[in-house]
Amino acid sequence: MNRLDHLLAKNREWAERISREDPTFFQRLSRQQAPKYLWIGCSDSRVPANQVVDLAPGEVFVHRNIANVVVHTDLNCLSVIQFAVDVLQVEHILVVGHYGCGGVHAALTRARVGLADNWIRHVGDVAEKHAGLLAGAGEEPLQHDRLCELNALEQVANVCQTTIVRDAWARGQSLAVHGWVYTLRDGRVHDLGLDVAGVDQLEPQYAAALARIHDDREDR
């Protein structure tokens, strides 16, 4: 059996460094979890939630899966959203895709990857819904970029349509849902222009964001 002594050593070095830099950090962290943000992102190892937005441990509640998909029958994802909204009282839900996503590419090209094909099928549904836009986007790399954006857009809509989020809005809770796409090439976040803070805001913001994606296709 291969031991992971090098990782344990790195952990000790990290803990000691943090304690030197901020002697009360772990004491404060252990008292309470009170993040303002829920991050729903891709499981891709190149997209670390806290580092992307330069926030410390304890400041972001995180749910990740292949291709940052939100499915209304996924009790794992829904439980995270419910705990974040109802218990932690987060103020922002960030749905974050990323350019170069392997799951999105598999959906775009209909590549078989195994059991995950059943999960990626949800992204395939997004591709079929926006087939005309994707067809006019140009070569496959550009179609891939557009589908990453469209997938994030659709998952924002899915989050906004959950009973959890709608109930929070109905009782006047301060909560906004945002759509981003992270760029691996330079570490920057592309804002899709979605900042939905009420049930009546979803439709116009969805339409405007979709129009921007379409216009970006036209500009290319």
Side-chain angles (χ1 to χ4, degrees):
M1 180 178 177
N2 293 325
R3 291 181 54 82
L4 297 176
D5 291 336
H6 62 295
L7 294 184
L8 294 172
K10 284 181 177 293
N11 167 253
R12 287 192 295 272
E13 292 169 3
W14 171 78
E16 290 169 0
R17 185 180 72 252
I18 294 298
S19 294
R20 286 194 303 271
E21 295 171 354
D22 184 352
T24 64
F25 175 80
F26 290 111
Q27 184 180 6
R28 295 196 314 272
L29 194 64
S30 63
R31 287 198 197 111
Q32 183 179 10
Q33 178 179 213
K36 293 182 179 180
Y37 311 97
L38 166 61
W39 173 290
I40 300 176
C42 182
S43 297
D44 193 299
S45 61
R46 300 167 295 177
V47 190
N50 285 72
Q51 288 177 265
V52 167
V53 288
D54 195 24
L55 291 176
E59 296 190 59
V60 185
F61 199 58
V62 179
H63 176 76
R64 297 170 69 174
N65 61 51
I66 296 173
N68 49 275
V69 172
V70 177
V71 183
H72 295 295
T73 54
D74 179 10
L75 295 183
N76 185 344
C77 182
L78 293 179
S79 296
V80 171
I81 296 173
Q82 186 272 324
F83 191 87
V85 172
D86 294 347
V87 179
L88 298 177
Q89 299 277 299
V90 299
E91 298 174 12
H92 303 274
I93 299 176
L94 312 174
V95 180
V96 188
H98 69 96
Y99 296 112
C101 179
V104 172
H105 188 261
L108 177 67
T109 60
R110 296 181 173 84
R112 293 294 304 275
V113 298
L115 179 63
D117 295 337
N118 300 281
W119 182 257
I120 293 169
R121 178 64 246 173
H122 297 294
V123 186
D125 293 340
V126 175
E128 290 182 3
K129 178 177 180 179
H130 300 284
L133 191 155
L134 291 173
E139 298 297 321
E140 184 180 295
L142 295 177
Q143 292 184 23
H144 189 191
D145 285 351
R146 295 294 79 74
L147 186 52
C148 290
E149 295 165 353
L150 291 165
N151 184 53
L153 172 65
E154 293 296 338
Q155 305 317 319
V156 167
N158 286 345
V159 171
C160 292
Q161 290 163 349
T162 62
T163 56
I164 303 156
V165 170
R166 296 210 165 199
D167 287 349
W169 284 335
R171 62 178 175 261
Q173 185 170 335
S174 177
L175 178 66
V177 186
H178 313 268
W180 292 355
V181 184
Y182 175 68
T183 309
L184 294 169
R185 292 184 295 273
D186 61 11
R188 299 293 186 90
V189 166
H190 173 62
D191 185 355
L192 294 177
L194 289 158
D195 303 286
V196 185
V199 64
D200 58 333
Q201 297 179 15
L202 175 59
E203 185 175 344
Q205 290 199 32
Y206 176 98
L210 184 60
R212 279 189 290 271
I213 295 172
H214 183 277
D215 291 344
D216 188 40
R217 180 205 71 172
E218 293 295 320
D219 291 343
R220 293 171 186 269

PDB file of all heavy atoms in Angstrom, residues 172-198:
ATOM      1  N   GLY A 172     -38.843  36.846   1.724  1.00  0.00           N
ATOM      2  CA  GLY A 172     -38.097  38.092   1.760  1.00  0.00           C
ATOM      3  C   GLY A 172     -36.632  37.957   2.097  1.00  0.00           C
ATOM      4  O   GLY A 172     -35.959  38.958   2.412  1.00  0.00           O
ATOM      5  N   GLN A 173     -36.093  36.745   2.025  1.00  0.00           N
ATOM      6  CA  GLN A 173     -34.674  36.537   2.334  1.00  0.00           C
ATOM      7  C   GLN A 173     -33.797  37.154   1.238  1.00  0.00           C
ATOM      8  O   GLN A 173     -34.104  37.045   0.049  1.00  0.00           O
ATOM      9  CB  GLN A 173     -34.387  35.038   2.448  1.00  0.00           C
ATOM     10  CG  GLN A 173     -32.961  34.709   2.877  1.00  0.00           C
ATOM     11  CD  GLN A 173     -32.808  33.229   3.200  1.00  0.00           C
ATOM     12  OE1 GLN A 173     -33.794  32.558   3.550  1.00  0.00           O
ATOM     13  NE2 GLN A 173     -31.598  32.704   3.095  1.00  0.00           N
ATOM     14  N   SER A 174     -32.722  37.790   1.634  1.00  0.00           N
ATOM     15  CA  SER A 174     -31.779  38.385   0.687  1.00  0.00           C
ATOM     16  C   SER A 174     -30.925  37.288   0.069  1.00  0.00           C
ATOM     17  O   SER A 174     -30.078  36.697   0.743  1.00  0.00           O
ATOM     18  CB  SER A 174     -30.887  39.407   1.402  1.00  0.00           C
ATOM     19  OG  SER A 174     -29.938  39.939   0.503  1.00  0.00           O
ATOM     20  N   LEU A 175     -31.159  37.015  -1.205  1.00  0.00           N
ATOM     21  CA  LEU A 175     -30.465  35.921  -1.886  1.00  0.00           C
ATOM     22  C   LEU A 175     -30.408  36.214  -3.374  1.00  0.00           C
ATOM     23  O   LEU A 175     -31.422  36.533  -3.992  1.00  0.00           O
ATOM     24  CB  LEU A 175     -31.210  34.596  -1.650  1.00  0.00           C
ATOM     25  CG  LEU A 175     -30.638  33.350  -2.329  1.00  0.00           C
ATOM     26  CD1 LEU A 175     -29.262  33.002  -1.758  1.00  0.00           C
ATOM     27  CD2 LEU A 175     -31.599  32.172  -2.189  1.00  0.00           C
ATOM     28  N   ALA A 176     -29.231  36.109  -3.959  1.00  0.00           N
ATOM     29  CA  ALA A 176     -29.058  36.328  -5.398  1.00  0.00           C
ATOM     30  C   ALA A 176     -28.308  35.152  -6.003  1.00  0.00           C
ATOM     31  O   ALA A 176     -27.430  34.566  -5.365  1.00  0.00           O
ATOM     32  CB  ALA A 176     -28.307  37.628  -5.659  1.00  0.00           C
ATOM     33  N   VAL A 177     -28.664  34.828  -7.235  1.00  0.00           N
ATOM     34  CA  VAL A 177     -28.024  33.731  -7.964  1.00  0.00           C
ATOM     35  C   VAL A 177     -27.286  34.320  -9.159  1.00  0.00           C
ATOM     36  O   VAL A 177     -27.850  35.119  -9.910  1.00  0.00           O
ATOM     37  CB  VAL A 177     -29.065  32.692  -8.439  1.00  0.00           C
ATOM     38  CG1 VAL A 177     -28.362  31.484  -9.066  1.00  0.00           C
ATOM     39  CG2 VAL A 177     -29.953  32.245  -7.271  1.00  0.00           C
ATOM     40  N   HIS A 178     -26.029  33.929  -9.332  1.00  0.00           N
ATOM     41  CA  HIS A 178     -25.166  34.517 -10.345  1.00  0.00           C
ATOM     42  C   HIS A 178     -24.601  33.437 -11.264  1.00  0.00           C
ATOM     43  O   HIS A 178     -24.378  32.297 -10.833  1.00  0.00           O
ATOM     44  CB  HIS A 178     -24.000  35.260  -9.687  1.00  0.00           C
ATOM     45  CG  HIS A 178     -24.409  36.156  -8.556  1.00  0.00           C
ATOM     46  ND1 HIS A 178     -24.703  37.495  -8.738  1.00  0.00           N
ATOM     47  CD2 HIS A 178     -24.581  35.905  -7.232  1.00  0.00           C
ATOM     48  CE1 HIS A 178     -25.029  38.030  -7.569  1.00  0.00           C
ATOM     49  NE2 HIS A 178     -24.970  37.086  -6.641  1.00  0.00           N
ATOM     50  N   GLY A 179     -24.327  33.797 -12.513  1.00  0.00           N
ATOM     51  CA  GLY A 179     -23.740  32.875 -13.476  1.00  0.00           C
ATOM     52  C   GLY A 179     -22.391  33.354 -13.968  1.00  0.00           C
ATOM     53  O   GLY A 179     -22.288  34.466 -14.502  1.00  0.00           O
ATOM     54  N   TRP A 180     -21.362  32.541 -13.786  1.00  0.00           N
ATOM     55  CA  TRP A 180     -20.008  32.865 -14.209  1.00  0.00           C
ATOM     56  C   TRP A 180     -19.419  31.718 -15.016  1.00  0.00           C
ATOM     57  O   TRP A 180     -19.869  30.570 -14.896  1.00  0.00           O
ATOM     58  CB  TRP A 180     -19.092  33.073 -13.000  1.00  0.00           C
ATOM     59  CG  TRP A 180     -19.346  34.267 -12.149  1.00  0.00           C
ATOM     60  CD1 TRP A 180     -20.250  35.281 -12.367  1.00  0.00           C
ATOM     61  CD2 TRP A 180     -18.676  34.583 -10.917  1.00  0.00           C
ATOM     62  NE1 TRP A 180     -20.176  36.202 -11.357  1.00  0.00           N
ATOM     63  CE2 TRP A 180     -19.213  35.809 -10.452  1.00  0.00           C
ATOM     64  CE3 TRP A 180     -17.670  33.966 -10.191  1.00  0.00           C
ATOM     65  CZ2 TRP A 180     -18.777  36.400  -9.270  1.00  0.00           C
ATOM     66  CZ3 TRP A 180     -17.240  34.555  -9.013  1.00  0.00           C
ATOM     67  CH2 TRP A 180     -17.790  35.763  -8.567  1.00  0.00           C
ATOM     68  N   VAL A 181     -18.385  32.042 -15.798  1.00  0.00           N
ATOM     69  CA  VAL A 181     -17.569  31.010 -16.444  1.00  0.00           C
ATOM     70  C   VAL A 181     -16.106  31.386 -16.219  1.00  0.00           C
ATOM     71  O   VAL A 181     -15.680  32.494 -16.562  1.00  0.00           O
ATOM     72  CB  VAL A 181     -17.857  30.886 -17.952  1.00  0.00           C
ATOM     73  CG1 VAL A 181     -17.046  29.731 -18.551  1.00  0.00           C
ATOM     74  CG2 VAL A 181     -19.348  30.645 -18.197  1.00  0.00           C
ATOM     75  N   TYR A 182     -15.367  30.460 -15.638  1.00  0.00           N
ATOM     76  CA  TYR A 182     -13.953  30.687 -15.305  1.00  0.00           C
ATOM     77  C   TYR A 182     -13.070  30.345 -16.510  1.00  0.00           C
ATOM     78  O   TYR A 182     -13.322  29.367 -17.223  1.00  0.00           O
ATOM     79  CB  TYR A 182     -13.587  29.814 -14.112  1.00  0.00           C
ATOM     80  CG  TYR A 182     -12.135  29.832 -13.707  1.00  0.00           C
ATOM     81  CD1 TYR A 182     -11.551  30.970 -13.173  1.00  0.00           C
ATOM     82  CD2 TYR A 182     -11.347  28.691 -13.841  1.00  0.00           C
ATOM     83  CE1 TYR A 182     -10.221  30.976 -12.782  1.00  0.00           C
ATOM     84  CE2 TYR A 182     -10.018  28.684 -13.450  1.00  0.00           C
ATOM     85  CZ  TYR A 182      -9.455  29.835 -12.925  1.00  0.00           C
ATOM     86  OH  TYR A 182      -8.137  29.835 -12.541  1.00  0.00           O
ATOM     87  N   THR A 183     -12.040  31.150 -16.710  1.00  0.00           N
ATOM     88  CA  THR A 183     -11.121  30.950 -17.831  1.00  0.00           C
ATOM     89  C   THR A 183      -9.815  30.357 -17.327  1.00  0.00           C
ATOM     90  O   THR A 183      -9.079  31.005 -16.568  1.00  0.00           O
ATOM     91  CB  THR A 183     -10.827  32.292 -18.542  1.00  0.00           C
ATOM     92  OG1 THR A 183     -12.060  32.943 -18.852  1.00  0.00           O
ATOM     93  CG2 THR A 183     -10.041  32.063 -19.830  1.00  0.00           C
ATOM     94  N   LEU A 184      -9.506  29.145 -17.750  1.00  0.00           N
ATOM     95  CA  LEU A 184      -8.282  28.482 -17.313  1.00  0.00           C
ATOM     96  C   LEU A 184      -7.037  29.177 -17.849  1.00  0.00           C
ATOM     97  O   LEU A 184      -5.982  29.158 -17.214  1.00  0.00           O
ATOM     98  CB  LEU A 184      -8.287  27.016 -17.776  1.00  0.00           C
ATOM     99  CG  LEU A 184      -9.354  26.107 -17.139  1.00  0.00           C
ATOM    100  CD1 LEU A 184      -9.409  24.775 -17.881  1.00  0.00           C
ATOM    101  CD2 LEU A 184      -9.053  25.886 -15.665  1.00  0.00           C
ATOM    102  N   ARG A 185      -7.150  29.798 -19.001  1.00  0.00           N
ATOM    103  CA  ARG A 185      -5.971  30.375 -19.655  1.00  0.00           C
ATOM    104  C   ARG A 185      -5.371  31.546 -18.888  1.00  0.00           C
ATOM    105  O   ARG A 185      -4.164  31.752 -18.921  1.00  0.00           O
ATOM    106  CB  ARG A 185      -6.333  30.832 -21.077  1.00  0.00           C
ATOM    107  CG  ARG A 185      -6.643  29.701 -22.036  1.00  0.00           C
ATOM    108  CD  ARG A 185      -6.898  30.218 -23.440  1.00  0.00           C
ATOM    109  NE  ARG A 185      -8.089  31.051 -23.510  1.00  0.00           N
ATOM    110  CZ  ARG A 185      -9.307  30.581 -23.706  1.00  0.00           C
ATOM    111  NH1 ARG A 185      -9.492  29.277 -23.851  1.00  0.00           N
ATOM    112  NH2 ARG A 185     -10.350  31.390 -23.762  1.00  0.00           N
ATOM    113  N   ASP A 186      -6.206  32.334 -18.209  1.00  0.00           N
ATOM    114  CA  ASP A 186      -5.671  33.505 -17.511  1.00  0.00           C
ATOM    115  C   ASP A 186      -6.210  33.678 -16.092  1.00  0.00           C
ATOM    116  O   ASP A 186      -5.879  34.648 -15.412  1.00  0.00           O
ATOM    117  CB  ASP A 186      -5.928  34.780 -18.321  1.00  0.00           C
ATOM    118  CG  ASP A 186      -7.424  35.047 -18.549  1.00  0.00           C
ATOM    119  OD1 ASP A 186      -8.266  34.381 -17.911  1.00  0.00           O
ATOM    120  OD2 ASP A 186      -7.745  35.925 -19.380  1.00  0.00           O
ATOM    121  N   GLY A 187      -7.046  32.752 -15.633  1.00  0.00           N
ATOM    122  CA  GLY A 187      -7.557  32.819 -14.271  1.00  0.00           C
ATOM    123  C   GLY A 187      -8.677  33.811 -14.049  1.00  0.00           C
ATOM    124  O   GLY A 187      -9.125  34.007 -12.917  1.00  0.00           O
ATOM    125  N   ARG A 188      -9.154  34.445 -15.109  1.00  0.00           N
ATOM    126  CA  ARG A 188     -10.215  35.443 -14.979  1.00  0.00           C
ATOM    127  C   ARG A 188     -11.601  34.788 -15.053  1.00  0.00           C
ATOM    128  O   ARG A 188     -11.787  33.769 -15.722  1.00  0.00           O
ATOM    129  CB  ARG A 188     -10.098  36.495 -16.080  1.00  0.00           C
ATOM    130  CG  ARG A 188      -8.789  37.279 -16.064  1.00  0.00           C
ATOM    131  CD  ARG A 188      -8.686  38.168 -14.828  1.00  0.00           C
ATOM    132  NE  ARG A 188      -7.514  39.012 -14.862  1.00  0.00           N
ATOM    133  CZ  ARG A 188      -7.466  40.230 -15.390  1.00  0.00           C
ATOM    134  NH1 ARG A 188      -8.546  40.737 -15.961  1.00  0.00           N
ATOM    135  NH2 ARG A 188      -6.355  40.933 -15.359  1.00  0.00           N
ATOM    136  N   VAL A 189     -12.558  35.447 -14.410  1.00  0.00           N
ATOM    137  CA  VAL A 189     -13.953  34.998 -14.446  1.00  0.00           C
ATOM    138  C   VAL A 189     -14.726  35.837 -15.446  1.00  0.00           C
ATOM    139  O   VAL A 189     -14.634  37.073 -15.454  1.00  0.00           O
ATOM    140  CB  VAL A 189     -14.597  35.111 -13.045  1.00  0.00           C
ATOM    141  CG1 VAL A 189     -16.114  34.970 -13.134  1.00  0.00           C
ATOM    142  CG2 VAL A 189     -14.036  34.050 -12.113  1.00  0.00           C
ATOM    143  N   HIS A 190     -15.490  35.170 -16.303  1.00  0.00           N
ATOM    144  CA  HIS A 190     -16.378  35.844 -17.252  1.00  0.00           C
ATOM    145  C   HIS A 190     -17.774  35.881 -16.637  1.00  0.00           C
ATOM    146  O   HIS A 190     -18.362  34.842 -16.335  1.00  0.00           O
ATOM    147  CB  HIS A 190     -16.394  35.088 -18.584  1.00  0.00           C
ATOM    148  CG  HIS A 190     -17.408  35.598 -19.562  1.00  0.00           C
ATOM    149  ND1 HIS A 190     -17.378  36.884 -20.063  1.00  0.00           N
ATOM    150  CD2 HIS A 190     -18.490  35.002 -20.121  1.00  0.00           C
ATOM    151  CE1 HIS A 190     -18.392  37.048 -20.896  1.00  0.00           C
ATOM    152  NE2 HIS A 190     -19.085  35.923 -20.942  1.00  0.00           N
ATOM    153  N   ASP A 191     -18.285  37.079 -16.428  1.00  0.00           N
ATOM    154  CA  ASP A 191     -19.600  37.284 -15.830  1.00  0.00           C
ATOM    155  C   ASP A 191     -20.655  37.224 -16.930  1.00  0.00           C
ATOM    156  O   ASP A 191     -20.624  38.004 -17.879  1.00  0.00           O
ATOM    157  CB  ASP A 191     -19.628  38.645 -15.141  1.00  0.00           C
ATOM    158  CG  ASP A 191     -20.910  38.919 -14.383  1.00  0.00           C
ATOM    159  OD1 ASP A 191     -21.842  38.088 -14.454  1.00  0.00           O
ATOM    160  OD2 ASP A 191     -20.986  39.961 -13.714  1.00  0.00           O
ATOM    161  N   LEU A 192     -21.602  36.302 -16.802  1.00  0.00           N
ATOM    162  CA  LEU A 192     -22.657  36.150 -17.808  1.00  0.00           C
ATOM    163  C   LEU A 192     -23.738  37.219 -17.678  1.00  0.00           C
ATOM    164  O   LEU A 192     -24.635  37.293 -18.516  1.00  0.00           O
ATOM    165  CB  LEU A 192     -23.296  34.761 -17.702  1.00  0.00           C
ATOM    166  CG  LEU A 192     -22.390  33.577 -18.048  1.00  0.00           C
ATOM    167  CD1 LEU A 192     -23.142  32.268 -17.813  1.00  0.00           C
ATOM    168  CD2 LEU A 192     -21.903  33.659 -19.497  1.00  0.00           C
ATOM    169  N   GLY A 193     -23.653  38.042 -16.638  1.00  0.00           N
ATOM    170  CA  GLY A 193     -24.635  39.113 -16.473  1.00  0.00           C
ATOM    171  C   GLY A 193     -25.908  38.671 -15.802  1.00  0.00           C
ATOM    172  O   GLY A 193     -26.958  39.295 -15.969  1.00  0.00           O
ATOM    173  N   LEU A 194     -25.828  37.617 -15.011  1.00  0.00           N
ATOM    174  CA  LEU A 194     -26.983  37.123 -14.273  1.00  0.00           C
ATOM    175  C   LEU A 194     -26.786  37.421 -12.793  1.00  0.00           C
ATOM    176  O   LEU A 194     -25.839  36.961 -12.171  1.00  0.00           O
ATOM    177  CB  LEU A 194     -27.130  35.612 -14.465  1.00  0.00           C
ATOM    178  CG  LEU A 194     -27.573  35.158 -15.857  1.00  0.00           C
ATOM    179  CD1 LEU A 194     -27.177  33.711 -16.086  1.00  0.00           C
ATOM    180  CD2 LEU A 194     -29.075  35.310 -16.003  1.00  0.00           C
ATOM    181  N   ASP A 195     -27.680  38.201 -12.241  1.00  0.00           N
ATOM    182  CA  ASP A 195     -27.680  38.522 -10.818  1.00  0.00           C
ATOM    183  C   ASP A 195     -29.132  38.489 -10.363  1.00  0.00           C
ATOM    184  O   ASP A 195     -29.737  39.524 -10.075  1.00  0.00           O
ATOM    185  CB  ASP A 195     -27.049  39.895 -10.572  1.00  0.00           C
ATOM    186  CG  ASP A 195     -25.626  39.982 -11.113  1.00  0.00           C
ATOM    187  OD1 ASP A 195     -24.718  39.402 -10.498  1.00  0.00           O
ATOM    188  OD2 ASP A 195     -25.430  40.621 -12.161  1.00  0.00           O
ATOM    189  N   VAL A 196     -29.678  37.298 -10.314  1.00  0.00           N
ATOM    190  CA  VAL A 196     -31.113  37.113 -10.103  1.00  0.00           C
ATOM    191  C   VAL A 196     -31.415  37.120  -8.608  1.00  0.00           C
ATOM    192  O   VAL A 196     -30.979  36.239  -7.865  1.00  0.00           O
ATOM    193  CB  VAL A 196     -31.595  35.794 -10.740  1.00  0.00           C
ATOM    194  CG1 VAL A 196     -33.116  35.678 -10.624  1.00  0.00           C
ATOM    195  CG2 VAL A 196     -31.154  35.700 -12.188  1.00  0.00           C
ATOM    196  N   ALA A 197     -32.182  38.115  -8.174  1.00  0.00           N
ATOM    197  CA  ALA A 197     -32.483  38.269  -6.751  1.00  0.00           C
ATOM    198  C   ALA A 197     -33.980  38.171  -6.467  1.00  0.00           C
ATOM    199  O   ALA A 197     -34.441  38.544  -5.391  1.00  0.00           O
ATOM    200  CB  ALA A 197     -31.943  39.597  -6.244  1.00  0.00           C
ATOM    201  N   GLY A 198     -34.744  37.683  -7.421  1.00  0.00           N
ATOM    202  CA  GLY A 198     -36.189  37.537  -7.229  1.00  0.00           C
ATOM    203  C   GLY A 198     -36.783  36.770  -8.385  1.00  0.00           C
ATOM    204  O   GLY A 198     -36.220  36.751  -9.492  1.00  0.00           O
TER     205      GLY A 198
END
